[in-house]
Amino acid sequence: MSGRSPQGAERTAAALSDPEHRSAPEETPRRAPGPAATAPAAATTATAPAAAQAPAAGGAPGAEPGRALGTGTRKRAIRRTAAVLAVLAAGAVILAALNSGTRHGHLDPRSADPTGSRAVAELLKERGVTTRVVTTAREAADATGPRTTLLVTDPDRLGARQRSAIRSAIDLSGGRTVLLAPGDHSLSDLSPGVRTEGDAGSDDLDPRCALPAATSAGRAGTGGDLRYTTALPGATACYPSGGHPTLLVLPTGTTGGDTVLLGSETILLNESLAEQGNASLALQLLGSRPDLVWYMPSLADSDPGTGPGGQDKSLLELVPAGWSWALLQLFLAATLAALWRARRLGPLVTEKLPVAIRASETTEGRARLYRKAGARDRAATVLRAATRERLAALVGVPPTQAHEPAALVPAVSARLTGEPRDVTALLFGTTPSDDAALVALADHLDALEREVRTS
């Protein structure tokens, strides 16, 4: 485009910055800060290297402060989000620590959970019975005696050595041993001569026996789990279901002790203790001696090969209840924080540029991109479109018809007083064949607009 007149160069630069693009120096879309984003879509053929070779476009000086400002804002937002997450995490850990001391799990006399047994332990305490929790078979065997009731909460979990230790304690202690829902796996060692007969048909059963504890308690929730059968002499069978008892009391040797087989854990749970005669039966079975040893087998005492206690547990099952709630709360808090800070891509909005850029610089930079890409068609289209819009305003043609030859050409021709010329070819013609023709087109458009303006 070199060699053109100063007047033509000025007109070309002015025409290229059409009304839509002349607003670029004041504001720009937020998604594309910097003047480089104001180039029209057709100019993308010039590529990034061409833009880098156009220092006159003024993009680099204005982009650095904006980039620095955006980076600082993002860093502050990240720090705020991290601080919020840290506070939430600390709160979750503190909450879990506070709750972990009161949630000890299933059948634990320290637990107030629905499946815990704290209620029955408190009732026994009011009646002068002390409760001691142990987790190993050795501790349980050492604590037994004539004045002791030993409760084994999960007999089927015990390994062979642990079963042997408990069996020795049963034979020698002279006290009471209560086995909670033992299966055939543990009955062979802990109570020979007794076997299971499947599950009971209903939860609440009538005693139907002469055992004082059962007749005093009446109907109780001993069903719903295991039933037993035995031919041992002296056995007392209570709470039958389908002809087989769910509560079995067996004398133990000549020491005066006894063994109680209870087929269901229902009467010991906090959630069901107040139903039917559960509380009465539990207190009489566990409170016949002044000392109660509550044996909850640990993983070290379990038999990994057999029984339900030996089944592999998932990671979630091994996490204490308090920590599970804390992790859930932390997950919900993190999700809410992510939704709060998530980027929402909506319509483009404009904002003030940190550095003002002159429209002439942007126009000249875009013209250099056009020239480098050889985009004479795009340059001629922009020149003609801008001229048509300005002429339409001068001759009274509506803006919606500014690009219609039938409406614009007659109105412009009526304002011309000089020699005749082909206005249609000038305003709606073909693409110039070379740079010289493009420069000439810009000069002719400039002359046409000047004549209409002064007529």
Side-chain angles (χ1 to χ4, degrees):
M1 297 181 188
S2 60
R4 62 174 299 180
S5 65
Q7 182 182 14
E10 179 182 357
R11 176 55 59 185
T12 301
L16 285 174
S17 59
D18 51 65
E20 178 184 354
H21 298 105
R22 280 200 298 272
S23 61
E26 289 77 19
E27 51 189 32
T28 187
R30 182 173 295 174
R31 292 190 198 168
T38 61
T44 55
T45 56
T47 70
Q53 297 176 12
E64 292 300 332
R67 188 180 301 113
L69 181 61
T71 302
T73 303
R74 285 193 297 270
K75 288 182 178 179
R76 287 193 296 272
I78 291 174
R79 285 196 295 267
R80 286 196 299 267
T81 303
V84 171
L85 292 179
V87 171
L88 293 175
V93 171
I94 293 174
L95 182 61
L98 293 175
N99 291 338
S100 62
T102 58
R103 302 176 70 90
H104 294 276
H106 188 65
L107 284 173
D108 195 311
R110 300 161 295 184
S111 174
D113 295 346
T115 57
S117 299
R118 183 176 178 178
V120 69
E122 292 294 328
L123 292 176
L124 289 170
K125 182 179 179 181
E126 293 177 359
R127 286 159 177 76
V129 179
T130 60
T131 302
R132 176 186 175 188
V133 178
V134 297
T135 57
T136 65
R138 178 50 54 195
E139 290 179 314
D142 293 342
T144 57
R147 294 169 52 84
T148 302
T149 299
L150 172 62
L151 170 64
V152 184
T153 59
D154 195 355
D156 288 346
R157 171 177 286 187
L158 302 179
R161 185 173 58 183
Q162 286 74 26
R163 292 195 299 269
S164 177
I166 296 300
R167 181 62 199 178
S168 297
I170 293 174
D171 292 336
L172 301 175
S173 68
R176 167 170 286 182
T177 302
V178 179
L179 302 178
L180 194 58
D184 290 329
H185 173 66
S186 58
L187 284 175
S188 59
D189 291 330
L190 299 180
S191 186
V194 180
R195 67 178 186 274
T196 61
E197 285 292 341
D199 296 339
S202 59
D203 295 337
D204 298 328
L205 303 171
D206 294 320
R208 298 180 184 177
C209 68
L211 184 68
T215 57
S216 175
R219 189 174 180 85
T222 60
D225 206 337
L226 295 177
R227 301 178 300 166
Y228 301 99
T229 183
T230 184
L232 295 176
T236 302
C238 297
Y239 295 98
S241 174
H244 298 283
T246 58
L247 174 64
L248 197 60
V249 181
L250 305 170
T252 304
T254 59
T255 59
D258 59 14
T259 300
V260 178
L261 306 182
L262 184 58
S264 174
E265 61 190 22
T266 303
I267 66 171
L268 301 182
L269 300 179
N270 294 331
E271 62 183 359
S272 55
L273 185 64
E275 299 174 359
Q276 303 289 340
N278 293 348
S280 177
L281 182 60
L283 292 177
Q284 294 183 78
L285 293 179
L286 301 181
S288 61
R289 272 78 172 171
D291 297 318
L292 172 61
V293 178
W294 200 295
Y295 176 31
M296 301 180 63
S298 62
L299 291 177
D301 276 9
S302 64
D303 185 353
T306 57
Q311 296 178 356
D312 292 337
K313 292 186 176 182
S314 65
L315 177 61
L316 294 179
E317 292 175 334
L318 295 176
V319 176
W323 288 97
S324 299
W325 278 107
L327 292 175
L328 176 61
Q329 294 175 28
L330 182 60
F331 174 76
L332 292 177
T335 302
L336 292 176
L339 294 175
W340 169 51
R341 298 301 302 172
R343 182 178 296 276
R344 296 171 177 83
L345 297 180
L348 288 173
V349 294
T350 57
E351 62 181 358
K352 296 294 183 180
L353 287 174
V355 177
I357 302 172
R358 292 178 300 184
S360 60
E361 295 181 357
T362 304
T363 303
E364 292 175 4
R366 189 180 301 115
R368 289 190 178 94
L369 291 176
Y370 286 160
R371 180 181 181 184
K372 186 176 182 64
R376 285 185 294 272
D377 54 345
R378 174 61 180 169
T381 300
V382 172
L383 288 170
R384 284 172 167 150
T387 302
R388 288 196 297 265
E389 292 174 358
R390 289 191 293 269
L391 289 175
L394 293 175
V395 299
V397 174
T400 56
Q401 300 178 357
H403 304 289
E404 298 178 5
L408 182 63
V409 171
V412 172
S413 300
R415 300 288 291 271
L416 300 179
T417 58
E419 58 184 17
R421 66 191 73 181
D422 191 355
V423 177
T424 303
L426 187 58
L427 295 177
F428 300 94
T430 58
T431 302
S433 58
D434 52 25
D435 288 350
L438 180 62
V439 172
L441 173 63
D443 291 338
H444 293 321
L445 291 173
D446 178 66
L448 177 62
E449 183 179 347
R450 188 186 311 110
E451 185 174 351
V452 172
R453 189 181 299 275
T454 58
S455 61

